[in-house]
């Protein structure tokens, strides 16, 4: 950590005074997003089709980068958040590996400053894959198990590269062409790249508060939920919560049993995040549009619905193969349809295990 980043330890609970101050300073989401052209004092915010990502100003010095594309193949990756401070900027999450270079280019352009620090919400390749563009000269911080899993899964990550570059090359527009050129340059350099190029350089061993200029960035790990290395990030002064994949807004959540996902743990994290929010908190999910704390409530309702459906199915003797094919009416228009059965199966296994080991 350099002098621009001053970590200090904090307890797990945020003080009431902090929450009240955050509420007092917060502004409604819609006017700020609508005012994206009125940039932060140091920022030259690109607009329109010249950027591959959609960069929305969420609060003073806080931007969210989301995809402009339908992206059902998840070639772009999860949302990421940019904090601009006095002498540099900070990125939370780095999207897919093929897009690390273009993300860095556009983040620096948006901030009008160099990136000094990067944080990962968890190890999945659509959130930490782009780390390689930052590890050489930035601090890249994450949960210790995020680093372990990225190192372990390096070969799987590399195996996806060709298909992702190909999908990227089929996207239309000048910004996509630039991103494709960045992706091809990354692919050409892969042969000489070591697995450690993707590995975080700094481990967040316990809940911590970092200070970057006027921003406070609080990290919290509740336990295994979406994965066993989830960290959510709260900016009390801006009243912005960055959830990583603990929230999918109107997408089916990706249930990764191989990374120790559990719906019970996921609900614990969701309830903790909800307790951090007040009515004005802007919530940036891992996938889907930014919103109000209601998107956390919706994710809680999703898992409660799956858990009750799984319990009923098990009590009725419905086999797993049949249960994973059921579709819940209120989730019918959710994106990432391929993840629906995975979540049903994961929760079915979990409830069956809970019943066997009460
Ligand atoms: Zn994920």
């Amino acid at each position: 950590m350099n002098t621009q980043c001053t970590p200090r330890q904090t307890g797990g609970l945020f003080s009431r005074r902090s929450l009240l101050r955050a509420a007092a300073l917060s502004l409604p989401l819609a006017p700020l997003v609508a005012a994206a052209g009125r940039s932060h004092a140091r920022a030259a915010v690109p607009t329109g089709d010249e950027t591959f990502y959609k960069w929305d100003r969420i609060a003073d010095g806080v931007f969210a980068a989301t995809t402009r594309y339908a992206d059902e193949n998840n070639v772009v990756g999860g949302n990421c958040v940019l904090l601009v401070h006095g002498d540099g900027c900070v990125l939370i999450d780095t999207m897919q590996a093929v897009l690390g270079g273009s993300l860095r280019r556009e983040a620096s352009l948006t901030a009008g400053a160099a990136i000094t620090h990067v944080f990962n919400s968890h190890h999945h390749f659509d959130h930490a894959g782009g780390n390689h563009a930052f590890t050489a000269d930035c601090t890249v911080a994450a949960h210790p198990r995020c680093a372990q899993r990225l190192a372990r899964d390096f070969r799987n990550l590399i195996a996806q590269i060709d298909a992702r570059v190909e999908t990227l090359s089929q996207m239309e527009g000048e910004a996509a062409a630039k991103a494709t050129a960045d992706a091809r340059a990354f692919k050409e350099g892969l042969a000489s790249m070591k697995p450690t190029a993707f590995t975080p350089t700094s481990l967040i061993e316990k809940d911590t508060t970092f200070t970057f200029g006027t921003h406070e960035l609080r990290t919290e790990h509740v336990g295994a939920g979406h994965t066993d290395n989830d960290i959510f990030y709260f900016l009390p002064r801006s009243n912005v919560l960055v959830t990583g994949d603990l929230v999918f807004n109107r997408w089916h959540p990706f249930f990764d049993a191989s990374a120790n996902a559990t719906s019970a743990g996921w609900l614990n994290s969701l309830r903790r995040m909800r307790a951090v929010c007040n009515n004005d908190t802007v919530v940036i999910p891992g996938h889907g549009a930014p919103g109000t704390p209601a998107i956390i409530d919706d994710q809680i309702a999703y898992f409660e619905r799956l858990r009750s459906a799984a319990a009923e199915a098990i009590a009725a003797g419905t086999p797993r193969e049949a249960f994973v094919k059921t579709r819940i009416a209120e989730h019918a228009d959710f994106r990432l349809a391929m993840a629906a059965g995975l979540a049903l199966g994961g929760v079915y296994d979990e409830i069956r295990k809970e019943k066997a080991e009460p």
Side-chain angles (χ1 to χ4, degrees):
M1 298 287 174
N2 66 22
T3 53
Q4 293 165 345
C5 173
T6 310
R8 65 179 188 276
Q9 301 306 320
T10 183
L13 293 172
F14 301 159
S15 72
R16 178 170 166 75
R17 192 175 66 168
S18 297
L19 287 173
L20 290 172
R21 184 175 58 189
L25 291 174
S26 70
L27 292 166
L29 174 62
L32 282 166
V33 172
R38 298 200 306 274
S39 65
H40 184 264
R42 291 175 57 86
V45 185
T47 56
D49 292 339
E50 72 253 38
T51 60
F52 183 70
Y53 310 102
K54 184 168 174 286
W55 293 89
D56 283 325
R57 180 176 175 269
I58 298 298
D60 191 31
V62 183
F63 298 83
T66 56
T67 180
R68 295 183 186 280
Y69 302 89
D71 202 25
E72 281 297 328
N73 293 323
N74 198 23
V75 70
V76 177
N79 300 331
C80 83
V81 171
L82 177 68
L83 313 179
V84 185
H85 59 91
D87 301 313
C89 58
V90 178
L91 205 56
I92 304 174
D93 277 350
T94 59
M95 299 196 180
Q96 294 280 7
V98 291
L99 291 165
S102 60
L103 178 64
R104 180 165 184 154
R105 179 167 46 74
E106 291 196 2
S108 299
L109 181 66
T110 301
I115 296 165
T116 59
H117 294 77
V118 173
F119 291 84
N120 290 147
S121 63
H122 63 297
H123 75 285
H124 283 152
F125 303 157
D126 56 332
H127 292 263
N131 281 1
H132 63 85
F134 305 95
T135 47
D137 60 347
C138 302
T139 298
V140 179
H143 190 281
R145 276 191 295 273
C146 174
Q148 291 167 6
R149 289 190 177 279
L150 278 168
R152 185 198 67 180
D153 295 347
F154 172 71
R155 294 285 160 213
N156 294 340
L157 191 156
I158 298 306
Q160 298 182 347
I161 301 300
D162 285 351
R164 299 218 178 274
V165 173
E166 178 58 28
T167 308
L168 199 55
S169 71
Q170 292 166 11
M171 291 179 167
E172 293 182 357
E174 193 179 324
K178 268 191 190 175
T180 304
D182 288 336
R184 289 196 168 123
F186 160 68
K187 187 179 158 184
E188 283 166 17
L190 263 180
S192 58
M193 200 172 274
K194 293 179 181 168
T196 49
F198 295 84
T199 308
T201 60
S202 177
L203 303 180
I204 303 172
E205 306 272 1
K206 50 185 162 181
D207 299 343
T208 303
T209 298
F210 297 90
T211 302
F212 297 101
T214 59
H215 296 292
E216 256 185 30
L217 180 66
R218 298 182 178 184
T219 77
E220 193 162 338
H221 169 74
V222 174
H226 170 65
T227 69
D228 57 12
N229 57 90
D230 304 320
I231 290 180
F232 70 80
Y233 297 90
F234 184 56
L235 294 155
R237 293 180 187 168
S238 309
N239 202 9
V240 173
L241 176 72
V242 184
T243 70
D245 278 356
L246 290 166
V247 177
F248 287 71
N249 185 11
R250 301 194 69 78
W251 286 42
H252 290 285
F254 177 56
F255 195 96
D256 185 358
S258 74
N260 295 326
T262 73
S263 64
W266 205 318
L267 284 165
N268 287 341
S269 291
L270 288 163
R271 291 184 179 121
R272 174 62 198 142
M273 289 194 299
R274 190 64 182 83
V276 167
C277 296
N278 61 29
N279 290 340
D280 297 323
T281 305
V282 178
V283 180
I284 315 288
H287 295 266
T292 69
I295 70 175
I296 303 175
D297 297 335
D298 290 345
Q299 192 70 80
I300 290 171
Y302 184 103
F303 281 113
E304 286 180 338
R305 182 77 179 82
L306 258 59
R307 286 179 63 86
S308 65
E312 283 169 22
I314 290 165
T318 306
R320 188 185 196 279
E321 311 81 75
F323 182 66
V324 299
K325 291 178 186 158
T326 61
R327 290 295 175 265
I328 292 171
E330 54 261 46
H331 308 152
D333 63 343
F334 280 25
R335 293 177 60 181
L336 203 63
M338 52 75 71
L342 201 61
L344 287 162
V347 172
Y348 184 97
D349 294 341
E350 186 185 342
I351 299 288
R352 195 163 51 182
K353 194 173 168 198
E354 285 176 12
K355 286 185 183 299
E357 303 167 7

